[in-house]
Amino acid sequence: MTARKKAAARKPAPRKKKAPGKKPAPGKKTTVRKKVARKKAAPSRSGSERRVYFFGKGRAEGRAGMREVLGGKGANLAEMTRLGVPVPPGFTIATSVCTEFERAKGRIPRVVRDQAAQALGRVERAMDRRFGDPERPLLVSVRSGARVSMPGMMDTVLNLGLNDRTVAGLAERADPRFAYDSYRRFIQMYGDVVLEIPHERFENRLEDLKDARAVDLDTELGADDWRGLIAEYLEVVEEQTGAPFPQDPQAQLWGAIAAVFRSWGNERAVRYRAIHGIPGDWGTAVNVQAMVFGNMGDDCATGVAFTRDPSTGERFFYGEYLKNAQGEDVVAGIRTPQPINESSRKDDSAVLPTLEDEMPRPYRELVRIYRKLEKHYRDMQDIEFTIENGELWMLQTRSGKRTTQAAVKIAVDMAKERLISREEAVQRVAPDSLEQLLHPTLDPEAERTVLAKGLPASPGAVFGRIAFTADEAETRARAGEKVVLVRVETSPDDIHGMHAAEGVLTARGGMTSHAAVVARGMGKSCVAGCGSLSIDAAAGVLRVEGHELRSTDTLTLDGASGEVMLGEVPTVTPELGGAFSELMRWADGFRTLRVRTNADTPLDAQTARAFGAEGIGLCRTEHMFFEPTRILAVREMILASDAPARERALRKLLPMQRGDFAGIFRAMQGLPVTIRLLDPPLHEFLPHDESDLKALAASLGRDIAGIRAKVAEVREFNPMLGHRGCRLGVTFPEIYRMQVRAIVEAACEVAEAGTTVKPEIMIPLVAWVGELSQLRTLVDAEIAAVLAERGRRRVRPTIGTMIEVPRAALTADAIAAHADFFSFGTNDLTQATAALSRDDSGKFLPEYLDRGIVQDDPFASLDEEGIGRLMQIGLEGGRRTRPDLKVGICGEHGGDPKSVRFCHRLGFDYVSCSPFRVPVARLAAAQASLADGARPRQTRRKRGRGGS
């Protein structure tokens, strides 16, 4: 055939002309085309919606962007396949089927079974093996895969497809020891996961066998040993279930798939989702994948690796592997893994060979693949691999769990390497995780008694009393006790205890064990693989180096060095720099919301400034009154019988308060300082115990009966709504006059020494405009008097109010006429609006959270629908009256990332939080600004006389 004829043969037949009629509108035409395209793309042969997605031999029906459908594991398996990475073929059952499964009370739709059968046939062809064939059996793994990583929380079944017939066929093709070892593993795993037989029933039989053979490791047992153990395992199954172990591979497959779907609702998965804020309606996908074996001999291995160090973020390939082993052996910590290369060696004394030494060709291929994956995903990857007969297979890649220290360094380094932008780097780090960087480390000068050393699995220095079980750790932590969870090895069932504990110590396991991975993700200190420990959890005894320790004993863990120390070792505040400083500098360049701190002392102020605070948003003067050197003068002032007596006591307090404020002004070096005048009810400063009352009477030279009567007089039934805040200023104006004088005199003193000062005086608990107008007159008069005395004109305090009463928010337009700034006190505003007591709501709020009545603790994260609506009303009302009104927030919510984002959306000028939460708020504010398009800070309009 000529070239012209070939071209003619390929040419499509001419279309039939449409009958004349009305042309569809262009928009309609496009829509029709799109619908037709979708129908053509529909991959299901049954004509139903696709629920099963095949991957293998370089082709995949899914891709990385389909995490919601395929889960993270399934999406990444498909993407790796598309990239040409060697991935064993398989198929993924969509997350939507999990939801259908739950609604149908454990039934899997027929269409899913049909699509899975078609996909399984493709896997058989790709592997040239048959599922259930006794001569060339195809074995598969069945694994979970949520859209976000939940390591170890759900179930997995390996070696599925083995039975009494297929194991014989496998033994003929491969080493009999390997075949029967695989079968006994499958029976044990299937029995535990699917048949719900306690795994101890199997483990006890295995331990008895090892004792009888006088061996320590599974690898020391032979094929005949495994055959005998298999017979025992089959007996265990029949004893526990009343039925033989299922021999039909199809029954095995669907039993395992159902078990993985059920595991989405198991207790540990539910707890993990609650801890990490993962919605319960997402469901999990199921991945069915051809097995490749790392336990067929000495040219086989299995391992876990990270493309960068997950503890420090350093840029080197890091991981562990085991020869002649299956994947669960690495993460379970049953055997001590070997480093994949010299960079991964954490213990200088170790002499174990590396993967690079033992299997150089697969190692070189692994290096090539990890670089390709990190470049493609633009993030540090956690990869799982198996080497079967010298051939490398990739089983998984995902964004690796990492410590906060590592997250910061990786984000900054990747931006410098031009893998990601600075904007992405700032968005890569969870703001609330920064607190993990800001807590103390061990004091290098402190004496310590080192009991043992394990692997430095997750950094951080912590101490606590020993807890031997997860339940014990959770119970004692709830009671306010600091505990360290001590286990031989952790399992996913320990998740709640790990969350409750200060840190985790295990006798077994490596740097990629369950304890290490989960602790790093939680930001918990962890020392793993501490082999010198002898732990008897049942007896509640830990033996190490001649010491016998119990639950009353305290341990200190250093997750950075792996050291375990006896007792409580002193700590020091870490120095921040390097990648952290750079990331925060980038964040500051994007954010428009200022970040201040809540600080009551010069030391607090200095700490906050070191963390980047741009002022003080709340200085609580009452905290200064509790100092032992001044509490007597405060009580003398409260117990005074008339104004002159009160003023005499206040004159004693004046120099003390003036010194406090001067110290804070000096520490803040020209940054704004908002000082709240006295807020709490007076009875809080008085003693109530009889012996203390007698001591007070003696100190003041007063009659005890008169003291008792006065204490009873100021006591209130509901002090939160009683005689406090501005009400004290109205009824006892001399108190506020003294405080204002102390503030202004301190400002003049510091200014005279050459330091700029920006004092802001805040009047608390205003509900009626008349309260603020009268007190503003009082404050203005006292300011004018002090300035006249000192001759200072450059000290110009601003005067504002705290919006913490619902009525104030609703009438903010009137209140703003007398205020230079508003600061929302969201703690009290939440209490007053929701009728919730911060002190008592803990008795029932956890149940409200469990039942979904509230999504967040309203004292931890702003209730945007309720409290947030009042804040919006107050903000809009205030700025209608005063467009230049400066508005901030000074409750505990100022350090909560979600609340910071809300304040940014409303258009607040600043948030204020505790010193250690300042970096959290800075990063959260930057991320909020980036979500809005990252307006440059210089375009931000200035409000108010106090600057920021």
Side-chain angles (χ1 to χ4, degrees), residues 175-456:
D175 174 31
R177 185 201 172 279
F178 151 72
Y180 290 103
D181 179 25
S182 299
Y183 191 22
R184 71 91 189 171
R185 288 171 183 264
F186 172 55
I187 296 170
Q188 180 170 352
M189 192 173 284
Y190 194 92
D192 178 15
V193 170
V194 182
L195 304 179
E196 299 181 349
I197 299 170
H199 72 276
E200 293 88 356
R201 302 283 183 177
F202 300 106
E203 279 295 319
N204 292 341
R205 300 290 182 105
L206 175 58
E207 292 301 318
D208 290 343
L209 175 61
K210 288 196 289 187
D211 288 344
R213 298 290 186 271
V215 299
D216 294 323
L217 300 175
D218 299 357
T219 52
E220 298 175 271
L221 297 172
D224 290 339
D225 295 318
W226 293 134
R227 284 192 193 96
L229 188 63
I230 286 166
E232 292 187 38
Y233 277 10
L234 294 174
E235 288 176 6
V236 168
V237 171
E238 195 151 2
E239 287 171 6
Q240 294 292 311
T241 66
F245 184 81
Q247 294 290 311
D248 178 7
Q250 287 290 338
Q252 294 174 358
L253 176 63
W254 290 104
I257 290 171
V260 171
F261 280 139
R262 282 197 302 273
S263 71
W264 176 254
N266 69 35
E267 184 179 358
R268 63 178 182 263
V270 170
R271 284 176 183 263
Y272 188 92
R273 291 199 298 272
I275 291 168
H276 294 278
I278 300 170
D281 59 0
W282 278 3
T284 181
V286 175
N287 299 284
V288 179
Q289 191 174 14
M291 286 290 302
V292 288
F293 296 96
N295 59 333
M296 291 180 71
D298 286 342
D299 61 348
C300 303
T302 186
V304 176
F306 297 85
T307 59
R308 304 192 185 212
D309 188 320
S311 289
T312 66
E314 293 294 333
R315 190 183 182 186
F316 63 80
F317 190 36
Y318 163 83
E320 296 172 327
Y321 78 106
L322 284 172
K323 282 177 62 176
N324 200 15
Q326 282 200 323
E328 72 268 22
D329 296 338
V330 179
V331 296
I334 295 168
R335 288 165 55 189
T336 300
Q338 299 168 229
I340 61 169
N341 52 28
E342 287 300 324
S343 299
S344 302
R345 201 184 293 283
K346 290 293 182 181
D347 188 344
D348 293 337
S349 65
V351 293
L352 295 171
T354 67
L355 181 66
E356 186 176 12
D357 297 330
E358 293 198 304
M359 301 183 189
R361 189 183 62 79
Y363 176 78
R364 287 195 297 271
E365 176 72 357
L366 184 63
V367 169
R368 184 188 67 80
I369 289 171
Y370 100 71
R371 288 174 177 160
K372 184 176 190 176
L373 292 174
E374 184 176 271
K375 185 175 181 180
H376 179 76
Y377 284 101
R378 300 163 59 248
D379 196 7
M380 184 266 276
Q381 295 296 291
D382 169 0
I383 58 179
E384 295 179 15
F385 64 90
T386 286
I387 300 170
E388 180 184 87
N389 302 136
E391 184 176 359
L392 176 69
W393 294 92
M394 303 303 296
L395 305 184
Q396 174 167 279
T397 190
R398 60 187 173 191
S399 291
K401 297 282 185 185
R402 65 205 75 180
T403 64
T404 303
Q405 177 187 348
V408 171
K409 180 163 179 55
I410 289 169
V412 170
D413 285 353
M414 285 191 167
K416 291 180 175 180
E417 294 160 21
R418 300 186 182 276
L419 274 178
I420 61 176
S421 65
R422 288 185 176 184
E423 290 87 344
E424 288 175 290
V426 166
Q427 292 172 307
R428 284 275 176 96
V429 180
D432 49 6
S433 72
L434 289 182
E435 281 194 284
Q436 298 166 21
L437 292 179
L438 310 176
H439 293 296
T441 56
L442 290 180
D443 183 350
E445 304 300 322
E447 291 185 7
R448 60 191 76 181
T449 303
V450 178
L451 297 176
K453 186 172 183 181
L455 296 173

Side-chain angles (χ1 to χ4, degrees), residues 740-762:
V740 172
R741 174 168 284 272
I743 292 167
V744 182
E745 286 182 352
C748 291
E749 178 184 314
V750 174
E752 286 163 3
T755 300
T756 302
V757 289
K758 292 182 181 177
E760 300 176 345
I761 298 172
M762 184 159 66

Side-chain angles (χ1 to χ4, degrees), residues 649-666:
L650 288 169
R651 281 196 289 274
K652 297 178 184 178
L653 288 171
L654 175 61
M656 301 176 187
Q657 288 255 276
R658 182 171 59 236
D660 293 330
F661 299 139
I664 290 172
F665 290 143
R666 290 189 191 98

Side-chain angles (χ1 to χ4, degrees), residues 398-673:
R398 60 187 173 191
S399 291
K401 297 282 185 185
R402 65 205 75 180
T403 64
T404 303
Q405 177 187 348
V408 171
K409 180 163 179 55
I410 289 169
V412 170
D413 285 353
M414 285 191 167
K416 291 180 175 180
E417 294 160 21
R418 300 186 182 276
L419 274 178
I420 61 176
S421 65
R422 288 185 176 184
E423 290 87 344
E424 288 175 290
V426 166
Q427 292 172 307
R428 284 275 176 96
V429 180
D432 49 6
S433 72
L434 289 182
E435 281 194 284
Q436 298 166 21
L437 292 179
L438 310 176
H439 293 296
T441 56
L442 290 180
D443 183 350
E445 304 300 322
E447 291 185 7
R448 60 191 76 181
T449 303
V450 178
L451 297 176
K453 186 172 183 181
L455 296 173
S458 185
V462 297
F463 66 87
R465 289 184 173 176
I466 297 168
F468 288 97
T469 69
D471 289 341
E472 178 189 2
E474 185 178 55
T475 300
R476 289 166 61 185
R478 278 181 180 167
E481 188 177 2
K482 290 186 175 183
V483 297
V484 169
L485 180 61
V486 177
R487 303 285 283 158
V488 173
E489 61 196 19
T490 64
S491 75
D493 291 323
D494 294 320
I495 182 71
H496 57 298
M498 295 178 72
H499 179 61
E502 300 296 311
V504 181
L505 171 64
T506 67
R508 294 207 294 246
M511 297 292 289
T512 52
S513 65
H514 175 268
V517 172
V518 173
R520 279 197 296 268
M522 288 183 172
K524 300 281 184 180
S525 175
C526 177
V527 175
C530 195
S532 61
L533 304 182
S534 174
I535 300 168
D536 186 344
V541 178
L542 165 64
R543 296 181 179 88
V544 56
E545 297 297 323
H547 294 269
E548 192 167 278
L549 307 176
R550 300 182 183 274
S551 59
T552 53
D553 293 303
T554 296
L555 291 177
T556 295
L557 306 182
D558 185 356
S561 68
E563 290 183 336
V564 181
M565 289 146 280
L566 182 63
E568 179 183 338
V569 179
T571 58
V572 294
T573 301
E575 293 183 10
L576 298 173
F580 175 84
S581 298
E582 195 146 15
L583 184 76
M584 297 311 298
R585 187 163 60 250
W586 295 347
D588 290 342
F590 295 122
R591 66 184 170 88
T592 58
L593 194 66
R594 300 282 183 174
V595 178
R596 299 192 187 185
T597 190
N598 302 337
D600 309 323
T601 68
L603 180 59
D604 287 346
Q606 289 165 3
T607 300
R609 281 204 68 196
F611 289 144
E614 297 166 296
I616 291 178
L618 176 62
C619 175
R620 293 155 288 209
T621 54
E622 62 271 9
H623 287 191
M624 305 166 181
F625 286 176
F626 285 101
E627 289 288 331
T629 56
R630 61 189 71 178
I631 188 64
L632 184 63
V634 173
R635 289 170 174 172
E636 182 182 349
M637 178 267 294
I638 295 169
L639 298 172
S641 55
D642 52 32
R646 216 166 8 257
E647 288 176 349
R648 282 195 299 272
L650 288 169
R651 281 196 289 274
K652 297 178 184 178
L653 288 171
L654 175 61
M656 301 176 187
Q657 288 255 276
R658 182 171 59 236
D660 293 330
F661 299 139
I664 290 172
F665 290 143
R666 290 189 191 98
M668 295 312 291
Q669 291 290 304
L671 295 173
V673 177

